[in-house]
Amino acid sequence: MVECRAIGFSVDSGDTLQEPVPARSTPVLSALLVALTATLVDVVGSAALLTKIEKSGVSLNISVNYLRPGKGGSTVKIVGEVVKIGRTVCSIEVAITEKDSGRLIAKGTHVKHILEAEPPFPRLDSVAEELTHRRNAVRNKTQKSRL
């Protein structure tokens, strides 16, 4: 599991993410959540692609349809699915649902141009393993220094 504590989400696998929805909403927070939703479509869509091929890409188009507001204090599940991988372009769909009820909150599409010139990225499970290894090493060092 990979965690990003700065914005409070965790990735269970290469293409599934869970994120808490704030309990209260303000106009500024609502605007941030809209931007965060589009960012999550980008991030989860890219992660989904990396689970299929070891190449990165650049976004050609990101589109999000906001279907209903997330319930305050609930957790949402974000799942990316690679629909098609062509020679130079791929298409990815991202669904954002309430974790408990499964109700669809937003649906995104992400189209990426696949880059051929750069070296391949490591698979996400390798990155997750490395991050876990580093985190455990830091924890062990911290525990030893307390003794």
Side-chain angles (χ1 to χ4, degrees), residues 15-29:
D15 58 357
T16 302
L17 180 131
Q18 296 181 18
E19 174 191 3
V21 176
R24 292 187 305 150
S25 182
T26 64
V28 172
L29 183 58

Side-chain angles (χ1 to χ4, degrees), residues 2 20 29 32 42 44 46 50 54 59-60 92 105 135 138:
V2 178
L29 183 58
L32 288 174
D42 184 13
V44 174
S46 297
L50 286 173
E54 294 183 0
S59 298
L60 297 175
I92 306 152
I105 296 172
R135 182 184 66 207
V138 169

